[in-house]
Amino acid sequence: MLSNRNLLVTGGSRGIGAATCLRAATRGFRVVINYRTDENAARHVYDSIKTNGGDAILVQADISREDDVVRLFTESRRQFGALDGLVNNAGILERQSRVEAITAERLNRVFATNVTGTFLCCREAIRQMSTKHGGRGGSIVNVSSVAARLGAPHEYVDYAASKGAIDALTLGLSKEVADEGIRVNAVRPGFIYTDMHASGGEPGRVDRIKDTLPMKRGGHPEEVAEAILWFLSPDSSYTTGSFLELAGGR
Ligand code: NAI
């Protein structure tokens, strides 16, 4: 089932981003799969979409770099036309640490991708989507985290703070563009089985925590992708500035 609805997913080569790309393609989106370094993993997602009759392109870009972001959205528009959806999924965290040990360099790295990169992607998407600019509207979904309200003490308060910024962006931007055909919402996952936890120095983090969660299990990327797809779809047409939590009840 192909359509002319175009979706860009940042960090689409693995984890929640890859699950979102794959699921979106089965719902008829043409998917722009952004990746930063792992071309092989991104190509695997691309091949799966193509094999199942969907349409996609791959675009390398580091979203923490403004020139890369501009090139990403220019290339997307050149190949598919204006976007209908954007999933700001790319995000990083660094090794578990107390605040007293965090350096300015680390803060700048985390905020450059998680906050500045997400803002820049929103900016470029609005320029393509806004009815004010002659666009046909669209839906932006930000991938925040339950860390935004839990704070991630002893692990990564910097990461949690960056996701707090994403929540504020979601609220403010949703109101700014609500009458220009653009909806802006966010998912707040928590404890999802992906490779991100290895970056924090604890690949088995979800299994350590799972018994403390009300649902007594970790989540799967597909469960987050489904919520993202709902925000992208017309089924959520009267919803903007909203948050959907996927954290097993925590
Ligand atoms: P992941 O580490 O598997 O995926 C993140 C993706 O973003 C990777 O493909 C990575 O290459 C990409 N990326 C990172 N920096 C980038 C940059 N500057 N430019 C382009 N791409 C970049 O992790 P996961 O879990 O799939 O994370 C996806 C999103 O979900 C992130 O925003 C993360 O903060 C969020 N999240 C994940 C949770 C979990 O338990 N796994 C919980 C809450 C939020």
Side-chain angles (χ1 to χ4, degrees):
M1 182 186 62
L2 287 177
S3 76
N4 57 359
R5 287 187 305 152
N6 302 321
L7 172 68
L8 191 155
V9 180
T10 63
S13 65
R14 70 181 208 187
I16 293 167
T20 302
C21 290
L22 294 168
R23 196 158 283 221
T26 69
R27 307 280 165 86
F29 280 103
R30 300 195 294 193
V31 186
V32 181
I33 308 164
N34 157 249
Y35 67 98
R36 183 183 45 178
T37 47
D38 194 346
E39 185 179 347
N40 282 341
R43 192 158 293 283
H44 186 72
V45 176
Y46 171 88
D47 288 343
S48 299
I49 290 174
K50 289 295 230 185
T51 304
N52 289 303
D55 202 0
I57 56 170
L58 289 174
V59 184
Q60 187 283 331
D62 178 344
I63 63 146
S64 70
R65 297 174 49 98
E66 186 168 19
D67 49 351
D68 276 24
V69 172
V70 170
R71 179 173 51 74
L72 167 63
F73 282 77
T74 303
E75 189 57 23
S76 163
R77 183 165 209 158
R78 192 180 70 76
Q79 296 214 38
F80 280 164
L83 286 170
D84 303 283
L86 165 67
V87 179
N88 282 311
N89 166 76
I92 57 167
L93 50 72
E94 302 215 355
R95 289 189 81 79
Q96 292 168 352
S97 163
R98 284 163 55 91
V99 170
E100 66 194 25
I102 290 177
T103 62
E105 287 76 16
R106 166 173 164 155
L107 282 171
N108 289 337
R109 280 195 302 273
V110 170
F111 278 72
T113 288
N114 296 8
V115 182
T116 307
T118 301
F119 263 86
L120 293 174
C121 289
C122 286
R123 182 191 75 192
E124 294 303 311
I126 291 161
R127 289 175 180 174
Q128 295 192 17
M129 292 174 175
S130 171
T131 53
K132 206 178 101 192
H133 300 303
R136 55 178 184 260
S139 173
I140 296 175
V141 185
N142 294 326
V143 181
S144 175
S145 170
V146 283
R149 67 173 170 72
L150 297 176
H154 306 286
E155 291 192 306
Y156 12 72
V157 175
D158 53 344
Y159 167 83
S162 76
K163 295 301 187 177
I166 295 308
D167 286 3
L169 165 66
T170 303
L171 283 173
L173 182 60
S174 69
K175 294 179 170 71
E176 207 168 281
V177 296
D179 66 350
E180 298 171 27
I182 305 175
R183 296 183 298 110
V184 187
N185 294 286
V187 291
R188 283 200 200 108
F191 326 107
I192 311 299
Y193 288 103
T194 71
D195 293 332
M196 187 182 73
H197 306 286
S199 312
E202 191 186 1
R205 177 172 176 267
V206 177
D207 281 333
R208 170 174 62 81
I209 291 171
K210 70 179 186 345
D211 290 334
T212 70
L213 303 176
M215 289 178 75
K216 308 269 187 249
R217 70 168 179 89
H220 298 284
E222 295 72 21
E223 296 178 288
V224 182
E226 189 56 39
I228 292 171
L229 263 293
W230 183 71
F231 277 138
L232 290 172
S233 84
D235 292 344
S236 61
S237 52
Y238 199 51
T239 303
T240 197
S242 283
F243 298 85
L244 221 163
E245 307 230 337
L246 301 112
R250 168 65 61 83

